[in-house]
Amino acid sequence: MTRKIAQASTQQATTIVPLLMSPAQVIKGEGILKNAGNKIAHLGTRPLIIGGEQTLNVVKPDLEAIFEQYQLTARFGNYHPDCSESSLTTLKNIVAEHQADLIIGVGGGKALDLSKLIAKKCNLPVVTIPTSAATCAAWTALSNIYTNEGAFQYDVSLNKCPDLLILDYELLKTSPQRMLVAGIGDAIAKWYEASVSSGHSTATLTIAAVQQARVLRDILFQKSATALQNLGGEDWKEVVDATVLLAGVIGGLGGANCRTVAAHAVHNGLTHILKAHDALHGEKVAYGILVQLRLEELIQGNQLAVTSRQQLLKFYDEIGLPKTLEDLGLKDVTLAELRHAAEITCLPHSDIHRLPFAVTPEQLLAAMVSTTVLVKVKAEV
């Protein structure tokens, strides 16, 4: 009897945390979408395809050929005006009207985030087909929700990663180079955020995530410039894999603590400035890394952060990532607008509080306007 009670007590004390590490299937290659029909058809017969109008026009020929070959009854749905609650409601209604049994998300981060979230809410499988390497949204069990005007509201943890990720290099080559540059900015943040929030963790998977973030950073440092000069080349493919796939692996292994800290929090705050909406997600995140390092300098006196920031400034120059508010198109932003963004960034639920020190809006504002300031590194005695 005692043993049974002890066993029951142990079972009650156990917390089951699902490991959402990767999509169920990942296929990649040149023109791989054309050969993915059997995998798509295995997941459903009445797909709803979600994406922006331009993106859907690019992929329609390949998808329609698949639908005809496998006798799938498909419907296309644009997401508009943003990855927002109103778009979610509209598309959920279309799911019901079409009696969809599969969601296919096509496009960039917002189209894929919305597709994953609709799939969760409707309990349907989801396929992600990224058309740029600007984010790792095709991989992750996470969706970000914005207002109709594009201001970040909140993120939603999903109960699984996508059922199928189709990474077609031929399709990604059609996107502007700026998208890949932004993806590099988004992906390289993994190291600067994970090393601060989780660098001292003793948990096995978190240690693995932090070390993978270091590997990701090194790959991007070594191969990004060459990749951008040789569209479709081997280095280009490796950098695409790094930004879309490896960046997702890190979030899957390490969870929320390894996913976002100050760099992404700064991005979220900047989305509340209308003038910042022309800057891509990864561009704002890249700028946010410099802000995070500057905070470490100003508040902690961290000399390693000084070195890291100066190293990043050179790298940003080399590949064209933004270093300042002016580079983000915010040359004429007002102090009131910046202060509002800083206050949003420092709200109690913000990821900026994953930093190992407290940050006030005033300190953040000081860091935001001094990302390129030159500081001499103190020599060790």
Side-chain angles (χ1 to χ4, degrees):
M1 179 66 72
T2 304
R3 181 179 296 176
K4 287 183 179 179
I5 292 172
Q7 287 175 343
S9 175
T10 301
Q11 289 171 354
Q12 289 173 357
T14 301
T15 301
I16 300 174
V17 180
L19 293 176
L20 309 175
M21 294 173 63
S22 72
Q25 294 185 81
V26 178
I27 58 173
K28 65 188 182 82
E30 289 278 354
I32 196 72
L33 177 57
K34 294 182 178 70
N35 302 313
N38 63 329
K39 294 187 180 297
I40 292 173
H42 180 72
L43 293 170
T45 60
R46 298 184 64 83
L48 171 64
I49 303 89
I50 297 171
E53 188 174 349
Q54 261 187 317
T55 300
L56 291 180
N57 287 336
V58 172
V59 300
K60 256 187 180 181
D62 286 340
L63 287 177
E64 287 179 337
I66 288 172
F67 301 153
E68 182 178 354
Q69 180 182 359
Y70 289 90
Q71 298 181 336
L72 307 183
T73 304
R75 179 164 173 180
F76 291 83
N78 293 335
Y79 78 94
H80 182 79
D82 210 291
C83 181
S84 62
E85 290 180 348
S86 64
S87 297
L88 186 63
T89 299
T90 299
L91 287 165
K92 279 178 64 181
N93 290 336
I94 295 175
V95 168
E97 291 169 10
H98 181 57
Q99 297 182 320
D101 59 2
L102 169 64
I103 303 297
I104 301 177
V106 180
K110 289 187 176 182
L112 300 180
D113 276 1
L114 192 57
S115 300
K116 291 183 296 182
L117 186 52
I118 287 172
K120 175 191 175 181
K121 289 185 174 294
C122 298
N123 196 28
L124 297 175
V126 61
V127 177
T128 52
I129 307 174
T131 56
S132 78
T135 74
C136 60
W139 182 285
T140 59
L142 184 77
S143 292
N144 291 326
I145 296 298
Y146 298 79
T147 66
N148 287 337
E149 294 72 36
F152 175 82
Q153 284 193 298
Y154 58 89
D155 57 44
V156 180
S157 295
L158 308 176
N159 53 8
K160 65 175 183 176
C161 293
D163 297 271
L164 173 64
L165 190 166
I166 302 172
L167 186 67
D168 190 326
Y169 295 126
E170 193 174 289
L171 186 57
L172 267 65
K173 280 190 286 188
T174 66
S175 69
Q177 181 168 280
R178 180 186 174 192
M179 296 290 188
L180 179 55
V181 173
I184 293 167
D186 188 36
I188 206 167
K190 292 288 188 292
W191 164 249
Y192 297 94
E193 293 186 298
S195 60
V196 167
S197 67
S198 306
H200 300 293
S201 174
T202 58
T204 298
L205 293 183
T206 304
I207 293 170
V210 174
Q211 292 308 311
Q212 287 300 313
R214 184 197 296 270
V215 170
L216 174 60
R217 178 203 63 180
D218 291 346
I219 289 171
L220 296 177
F221 275 158
Q222 294 162 13
K223 299 187 176 184
S224 291
T226 306
L228 293 169
Q229 294 167 6
N230 186 19
L231 179 69
E234 286 307 308
D235 278 348
W236 179 86
K237 290 178 182 176
E238 295 300 334
V239 170
V240 166
D241 284 358
T243 59
V244 179
L245 306 181
L246 182 53
V249 170
I250 293 161
L253 281 173
N257 284 339
C258 287
R259 192 180 293 124
T260 58
V261 188
H264 277 80
V266 168
H267 159 276
N268 295 342
L270 287 173
T271 64
H272 289 260
I273 300 176
L274 186 61
K275 297 170 188 172
H277 289 180
D278 289 337
L280 298 173
H281 170 85
E283 292 171 338
K284 291 192 279 282
V285 170
Y287 163 78
I289 302 171
L290 299 177
V291 174
Q292 175 178 308
L293 291 170
R294 189 73 180 122
L295 285 170
E296 294 177 56
E297 298 169 37
L298 292 170
I299 297 174
Q300 288 188 311
N302 188 328
Q303 294 299 299
L304 181 59
V306 177
T307 303
S308 295
R309 185 171 59 85
Q310 292 178 356
Q311 180 186 36
L312 274 181
L313 288 172
K314 292 178 182 178
F315 178 64
Y316 286 13
D317 273 334
E318 189 176 18
I319 69 170
L321 279 170
K323 301 177 295 182
T324 64
L325 289 165
E326 184 176 356
D327 293 341
L328 287 172
L330 296 175
K331 179 181 179 181
D332 299 322
V333 68
T334 68
L335 182 60
E337 289 172 315
L338 273 185
R339 183 175 288 112
H340 177 63
E343 289 169 351
I344 292 286
T345 305
C346 292
L347 286 173
H349 62 272
S350 171
D351 289 332
I352 200 169
H353 302 302
R354 296 188 194 279
L355 287 170
F357 50 84
V359 179
T360 66
E362 291 74 21
Q363 291 168 323
L364 178 58
L365 195 58
M368 291 173 72
V369 297
S370 62
T371 49
T372 58
V373 67
L374 295 178
V375 178
K376 288 186 178 181
V377 180
K378 295 177 183 176
E380 292 187 10
V381 179

